[in-house]
PDB file of all heavy atoms in Angstrom:
ATOM      1  N   GLU O 118       7.052 -40.208 -46.055  1.00 97.00           N
ATOM      2  CA  GLU O 118       6.521 -40.665 -47.331  1.00 97.00           C
ATOM      3  C   GLU O 118       7.271 -40.022 -48.498  1.00 97.00           C
ATOM      4  O   GLU O 118       7.569 -40.674 -49.502  1.00 97.00           O
ATOM      5  CB  GLU O 118       5.046 -40.273 -47.368  1.00 97.00           C
ATOM      6  CG  GLU O 118       4.244 -40.953 -48.422  1.00 97.00           C
ATOM      7  CD  GLU O 118       2.784 -40.546 -48.334  1.00 97.00           C
ATOM      8  OE1 GLU O 118       2.394 -39.861 -47.358  1.00 97.00           O
ATOM      9  OE2 GLU O 118       2.036 -40.906 -49.256  1.00 97.00           O
ATOM     10  N   MET O 119       7.582 -38.758 -48.344  1.00 97.00           N
ATOM     11  CA  MET O 119       8.328 -38.075 -49.401  1.00 97.00           C
ATOM     12  C   MET O 119       9.712 -38.701 -49.556  1.00 97.00           C
ATOM     13  O   MET O 119      10.197 -38.899 -50.664  1.00 97.00           O
ATOM     14  CB  MET O 119       8.416 -36.579 -49.102  1.00 97.00           C
ATOM     15  CG  MET O 119       7.072 -35.878 -49.252  1.00 97.00           C
ATOM     16  SD  MET O 119       7.216 -34.076 -49.215  1.00 97.00           S
ATOM     17  CE  MET O 119       6.677 -33.717 -47.564  1.00 97.00           C
ATOM     18  N   ARG O 120      10.318 -39.021 -48.427  1.00 96.00           N
ATOM     19  CA  ARG O 120      11.638 -39.672 -48.477  1.00 96.00           C
ATOM     20  C   ARG O 120      11.587 -40.993 -49.218  1.00 96.00           C
ATOM     21  O   ARG O 120      12.559 -41.415 -49.823  1.00 96.00           O
ATOM     22  CB  ARG O 120      12.157 -39.925 -47.053  1.00 96.00           C
ATOM     23  CG  ARG O 120      12.703 -38.692 -46.375  1.00 96.00           C
ATOM     24  CD  ARG O 120      13.607 -39.071 -45.205  1.00 96.00           C
ATOM     25  NE  ARG O 120      13.843 -37.943 -44.297  1.00 96.00           N
ATOM     26  CZ  ARG O 120      14.634 -36.912 -44.600  1.00 96.00           C
ATOM     27  NH1 ARG O 120      15.275 -36.879 -45.756  1.00 96.00           N
ATOM     28  NH2 ARG O 120      14.781 -35.924 -43.744  1.00 96.00           N
ATOM     29  N   CYS O 121      10.471 -41.664 -49.128  1.00 96.00           N
ATOM     30  CA  CYS O 121      10.330 -42.985 -49.754  1.00 96.00           C
ATOM     31  C   CYS O 121       9.916 -42.893 -51.214  1.00 96.00           C
ATOM     32  O   CYS O 121       9.689 -43.914 -51.854  1.00 96.00           O
ATOM     33  CB  CYS O 121       9.303 -43.818 -49.000  1.00 96.00           C
ATOM     34  SG  CYS O 121       9.861 -44.309 -47.382  1.00 96.00           S
ATOM     35  N   THR O 122       9.747 -41.686 -51.717  1.00 96.00           N
ATOM     36  CA  THR O 122       9.279 -41.518 -53.090  1.00 96.00           C
ATOM     37  C   THR O 122      10.453 -41.164 -54.005  1.00 96.00           C
ATOM     38  O   THR O 122      10.989 -40.061 -53.923  1.00 96.00           O
ATOM     39  CB  THR O 122       8.205 -40.405 -53.146  1.00 96.00           C
ATOM     40  OG1 THR O 122       7.166 -40.724 -52.221  1.00 96.00           O
ATOM     41  CG2 THR O 122       7.636 -40.260 -54.544  1.00 96.00           C
ATOM     42  N   PRO O 123      10.856 -42.106 -54.846  1.00 96.00           N
ATOM     43  CA  PRO O 123      12.048 -41.911 -55.675  1.00 96.00           C
ATOM     44  C   PRO O 123      12.011 -40.622 -56.498  1.00 96.00           C
ATOM     45  O   PRO O 123      13.038 -39.951 -56.642  1.00 96.00           O
ATOM     46  CB  PRO O 123      12.050 -43.136 -56.586  1.00 96.00           C
ATOM     47  CG  PRO O 123      11.290 -44.186 -55.836  1.00 96.00           C
ATOM     48  CD  PRO O 123      10.262 -43.440 -55.051  1.00 96.00           C
ATOM     49  N   ARG O 124      10.839 -40.246 -56.979  1.00 96.00           N
ATOM     50  CA  ARG O 124      10.753 -39.053 -57.825  1.00 96.00           C
ATOM     51  C   ARG O 124      11.021 -37.768 -57.061  1.00 96.00           C
ATOM     52  O   ARG O 124      11.232 -36.712 -57.645  1.00 96.00           O
ATOM     53  CB  ARG O 124       9.362 -38.964 -58.473  1.00 96.00           C
ATOM     54  CG  ARG O 124       9.018 -40.188 -59.308  1.00 96.00           C
ATOM     55  CD  ARG O 124       7.814 -39.950 -60.139  1.00 96.00           C
ATOM     56  NE  ARG O 124       8.063 -38.873 -61.098  1.00 96.00           N
ATOM     57  CZ  ARG O 124       7.193 -38.485 -62.021  1.00 96.00           C
ATOM     58  NH1 ARG O 124       6.017 -39.072 -62.083  1.00 96.00           N
ATOM     59  NH2 ARG O 124       7.481 -37.514 -62.857  1.00 96.00           N
ATOM     60  N   LEU O 125      11.020 -37.873 -55.737  1.00 97.00           N
ATOM     61  CA  LEU O 125      11.271 -36.678 -54.917  1.00 97.00           C
ATOM     62  C   LEU O 125      12.693 -36.650 -54.367  1.00 97.00           C
ATOM     63  O   LEU O 125      13.038 -35.787 -53.548  1.00 97.00           O
ATOM     64  CB  LEU O 125      10.267 -36.614 -53.756  1.00 97.00           C
ATOM     65  CG  LEU O 125       8.799 -36.503 -54.166  1.00 97.00           C
ATOM     66  CD1 LEU O 125       7.899 -36.495 -52.938  1.00 97.00           C
ATOM     67  CD2 LEU O 125       8.569 -35.234 -54.996  1.00 97.00           C
ATOM     68  N   ALA O 126      13.509 -37.590 -54.820  1.00 95.00           N
ATOM     69  CA  ALA O 126      14.848 -37.753 -54.244  1.00 95.00           C
ATOM     70  C   ALA O 126      15.673 -36.465 -54.271  1.00 95.00           C
ATOM     71  O   ALA O 126      16.521 -36.253 -53.409  1.00 95.00           O
ATOM     72  CB  ALA O 126      15.591 -38.880 -54.959  1.00 95.00           C
ATOM     73  N   GLY O 127      15.416 -35.594 -55.257  1.00 95.00           N
ATOM     74  CA  GLY O 127      16.226 -34.383 -55.377  1.00 95.00           C
ATOM     75  C   GLY O 127      15.671 -33.183 -54.629  1.00 95.00           C
ATOM     76  O   GLY O 127      16.215 -32.085 -54.694  1.00 95.00           O
TER      77      GLY O 127
END
Side-chain angles (χ1 to χ4, degrees):
Chain O
E118 195 177 352
M119 290 191 258
R120 283 199 196 287
C121 291
T122 305
R124 302 192 63 176
L125 298 178

